Amino acid sequence: MQMPEDERRAPEGYDPRDYDPVAVTVDVVALTIRDRALHVLLVRRGVPPFAGMWALPGGFVRGVRDAEDLPEAAARELAEETGLSTEGALARVHLEQLGTYGAPGRDPRMRVISVAYLAFAPELPEPRAGTDAADAAWTPVDALGLTESGGQLPGTTRRLAFDHARILADGLERARSKLEYTPLATAFCPPEFTIPELRAVYEAVWGEELHPGNFHRKVLSVPGFVESTGQTTERGGRRGGRRARLYRAGDARLLHPALLRPSREDTIR
Amino acid sequence: MQMPEDERRAPEGYDPRDYDPVAVTVDVVALTIRDRALHVLLVRRGVPPFAGMWALPGGFVRGVRDAEDLPEAAARELAEETGLSTEGALARVHLEQLGTYGAPGRDPRMRVISVAYLAFAPELPEPRAGTDAADAAWTPVDALGLTESGGQLPGTTRRLAFDHARILADGLERARSKLEYTPLATAFCPPEFTIPELRAVYEAVWGEELHPGNFHRKVLSVPGFVESTGQTTERGGRRGGRRARLYRAGDARLLHPALLRPSREDTIR
DNA sequence: AAAATAGTGTCTTTCAGACAGTATTAA
DNA sequence: TTAATACTGTCTGAAAGACACTATTTT
């Protein structure tokens, strides 16, 4: 029971503020595709602890004054960092809860519980540096040297603050998995896109090349994944090639049958 | 960034206790199979708000004094309610984070953020009533009249407090989904179990009957799902029938290929 | 014309599900 | 002996992946 004046441990009228102070924040793992590579939005810390290191955008949840719901808080943090309005370009961004991180000591100063959100965005403008944070940038996730155990390889230049390497690694695994069972790859695309563009999303997130012909047939065979616009691109590929047909996201909320990642035999046990 | 003295909104040395008080709790959706039906552990509230209604077991996270990690807090709440020790019978219980619920107004008295955990347990003893809560009981989930939208059907006798119908519905959907892709159905079974017992878990969680022959062959064909003990049960079925072979949980962490729920065509769009 | 890219046809293998059949046990 | 339960064999259709092929466009 989430009772503040819980009869089990506190008398009536008891105020948890005087008891066990816990701060609640939201952090956002915002992912996008730029130059065919997966990027994450990071901000550079200007003050200790972890000054000079990079972190996920985030901040306090407004608890009482202007109380906001958790997804609202995540959208607000994202808007503040990208400089976009939540009604405009950010309205098309997919936002879902990733998980909550609350290990004692994850912030060296006091107890902080952080609710992490995961965002899938089409290509967005470069974030405005200098408004809230010392710096902010879309960063290729490959350059962060993330390990499965939630750390970073030695020698990686951009070090992540707090437990943000763990949170980001969890977000990436969630994104990879979501692409298998849901049509959320379309959330990385503009409103109209081609099958090869969609394939580029899968290749960037999964980090492996897919067979163009089989991918094409597979996407069209899944009911509700994409729907045709009847249009094609204006031009073919840069170095030659046919013009591609344009599609919109369909109405399916799950892919059936799913689009499973190849070569997972190794990772399963 | 989850900084308590965040440079963006608060000066150095600022104490969030004086600022925006938010309480953090954990709630546990503990599931088990009893009499071939899925049950959830509920406690009955003795005091307002929602006095007389049923709720998920839970309570405050110990934030500073005896600071504990979130999974620890969930295990502690489960232990307090079942009367079992976390080292003993509860050590075999699978515990995973489900999600965090923090809508303003979900607790009528103040702002409470609740981190929900999901537990899969083999059959456990009846909880001890009267220690912490007014009453506690394993309750068949079918008797709660849960709706997909997070409510309860009118006429359901056991009403759930707060947003616990929503949390429980989310937990059930997570459990149903986990059974498809992971071997966690074994977490509902004793250390040694038969294929028909495992099938009963699937049938209880999914709420549909499965073809015994095809299920049997499928389970044995997935590498690492179960491993044989070489033993059989002492007796056959109550009304006759062959003795079943006994298996242990295998070392697979994912099922490949997965064991998909039948008849999902309807729910997908 | 050559190279690149989009898109289709076809074959093989795997696997889910239907269904029938065998093996073993309690009543 | 009968009914119930455990388990196995076999067929069919769906779908994934390999590979070859056609279509269209840029250089």
Side-chain angles (χ1 to χ4, degrees):
Chain A
M1 283 172 283
Q2 66 286 65
M3 303 180 57
E5 295 110 10
D6 192 321
E7 69 278 13
R8 297 190 253 162
R9 265 176 235 102
E12 289 290 332
Y14 186 92
D15 189 342
R17 279 195 295 174
D18 306 327
Y19 174 58
D20 236 7
V22 175
V24 178
T25 64
V26 291
D27 289 319
V28 181
V29 177
L31 302 177
T32 196
I33 315 282
R34 295 170 79 94
D35 307 322
R36 307 182 79 87
L38 188 62
H39 286 60
V40 61
L41 183 62
L42 294 180
V43 299
R44 198 143 102 107
R45 293 182 54 78
V47 300
F50 303 109
M53 291 171 74
W54 293 79
L56 301 171
F60 282 114
V61 174
R62 293 179 183 162
V64 174
R65 288 195 315 231
D66 306 317
E68 62 190 346
D69 201 353
L70 299 173
E72 265 181 76
R76 177 175 55 75
E77 292 297 337
L78 195 53
E80 286 174 7
E81 231 56 61
T82 58
L84 302 170
S85 81
T86 46
E87 295 82 34
L90 254 42
R92 287 194 60 252
V93 171
H94 168 81
L95 195 65
E96 67 178 51
Q97 195 181 103
L98 175 59
T100 298
Y101 298 79
R106 63 182 289 279
D107 186 302
R109 293 157 301 179
M110 72 166 295
R111 187 69 192 270
V112 178
I113 305 280
S114 180
V115 185
Y117 276 78
L118 182 61
F120 295 167
E123 186 159 342
L124 296 178
E126 210 58 55
R128 314 167 302 179
T131 58
D132 267 0
D135 197 1
W138 292 106
T139 307
V141 294
D142 287 346
L144 294 170
L146 293 172
T147 63
E148 214 176 310
S149 56
Q152 289 180 278
L153 294 175
T156 308
T157 40
R158 292 203 172 173
R159 309 302 300 183
L160 292 173
F162 304 103
D163 53 1
H164 288 189
R166 160 85 283 152
I167 297 175
L168 177 52
D170 290 349
L172 294 176
E173 181 48 37
R174 172 80 67 88
R176 286 190 275 261
S177 170
K178 278 262 166 175
L179 258 52
E180 294 189 303
Y181 303 106
T182 72
L184 283 176
T186 60
F188 287 107
C189 294
E192 300 197 345
F193 53 87
T194 67
I195 305 282
E197 278 170 10
L198 191 64
R199 177 164 48 87
V201 171
Y202 276 89
E203 290 176 335
V205 176
W206 285 352
E208 40 191 336
E209 304 218 326
L210 300 176
H211 186 288
N214 288 341
F215 181 86
H216 194 108
R217 181 161 24 75
K218 170 71 185 175
V219 167
L220 294 184
S221 78
V222 176
F225 193 176
V226 298
E227 61 183 34
S228 176
T229 65
Q231 308 288 109
T232 71
T233 50
E234 290 294 314
R235 283 184 40 97
R238 274 176 304 186
R239 286 169 293 182
R242 197 168 167 172
R243 293 192 288 184
R245 291 203 262 265
L246 285 166
Y247 296 85
R248 275 186 294 272
D251 61 353
R253 291 165 41 148
L254 290 174
L255 301 184
H256 185 78
L259 228 157
L260 298 178
R261 279 176 269 186
S263 63
R264 301 204 56 204
E265 252 72 347
D266 338 330
T267 335
I268 285 170
R269 304 257 184 132
Chain B
M1 284 172 285
Q2 68 287 59
M3 302 180 57
E5 295 110 7
D6 193 321
E7 67 279 13
R8 299 190 250 164
R9 265 175 235 103
E12 290 287 334
Y14 187 90
D15 188 342
R17 279 197 295 174
D18 308 326
Y19 176 57
D20 235 7
V22 175
V24 178
T25 63
V26 291
D27 289 320
V28 181
V29 177
L31 302 177
T32 196
I33 315 282
R34 295 170 79 94
D35 306 323
R36 305 182 79 87
L38 188 62
H39 286 61
V40 60
L41 183 62
L42 294 180
V43 299
R44 198 143 102 107
R45 291 182 56 77
V47 301
F50 304 107
M53 291 173 71
W54 293 79
L56 300 171
F60 282 115
V61 174
R62 293 179 182 161
V64 173
R65 286 197 316 232
D66 305 317
E68 61 190 347
D69 202 353
L70 299 173
E72 264 180 78
R76 177 176 54 77
E77 292 297 336
L78 194 53
E80 287 174 6
E81 232 55 62
T82 58
L84 302 170
S85 80
T86 46
E87 294 82 34
L90 253 43
R92 286 194 63 249
V93 171
H94 168 81
L95 194 67
E96 67 177 49
Q97 195 181 101
L98 174 60
T100 298
Y101 298 79
R106 62 182 292 276
D107 187 301
R109 293 157 300 177
M110 71 167 295
R111 188 67 192 272
V112 178
I113 305 280
S114 180
V115 184
Y117 276 79
L118 182 62
F120 294 167
E123 187 159 341
L124 296 178
E126 210 59 57
R128 313 166 304 178
T131 57
D132 269 359
D135 198 0
W138 292 105
T139 308
V141 294
D142 287 347
L144 295 170
L146 293 173
T147 64
E148 213 176 311
S149 56
Q152 288 181 277
L153 294 175
T156 309
T157 40
R158 293 203 170 173
R159 311 301 301 182
L160 291 172
F162 305 103
D163 52 1
H164 288 190
R166 160 85 284 153
I167 298 176
L168 177 52
D170 290 349
L172 293 176
E173 181 48 36
R174 171 79 68 87
R176 286 190 275 261
S177 170
K178 278 260 166 175
L179 257 53
E180 295 189 303
Y181 304 107
T182 72
L184 283 176
T186 59
F188 287 106
C189 295
E192 299 197 347
F193 54 87
T194 67
I195 305 282
E197 278 170 9
L198 191 63
R199 176 162 51 85
V201 172
Y202 276 89
E203 291 177 336
V205 176
W206 286 351
E208 39 192 335
E209 304 218 325
L210 300 175
H211 186 289
N214 287 341
F215 181 87
H216 195 109
R217 182 162 23 76
K218 171 71 184 176
V219 167
L220 293 184
S221 78
V222 175
F225 193 175
V226 298
E227 60 182 34
S228 177
T229 65
Q231 307 289 108
T232 71
T233 51
E234 290 296 314
R235 282 184 41 98
R238 273 176 305 186
R239 287 170 293 182
R242 196 165 166 174
R243 293 193 287 185
R245 291 202 262 263
L246 285 166
Y247 296 85
R248 274 186 295 271
D251 60 355
R253 292 164 42 145
L254 291 173
L255 301 184
H256 186 79
L259 227 159
L260 299 177
R261 279 177 269 187
S263 65
R264 301 205 54 203
E265 252 72 346
D266 338 330
T267 336
I268 285 170
R269 302 256 184 134

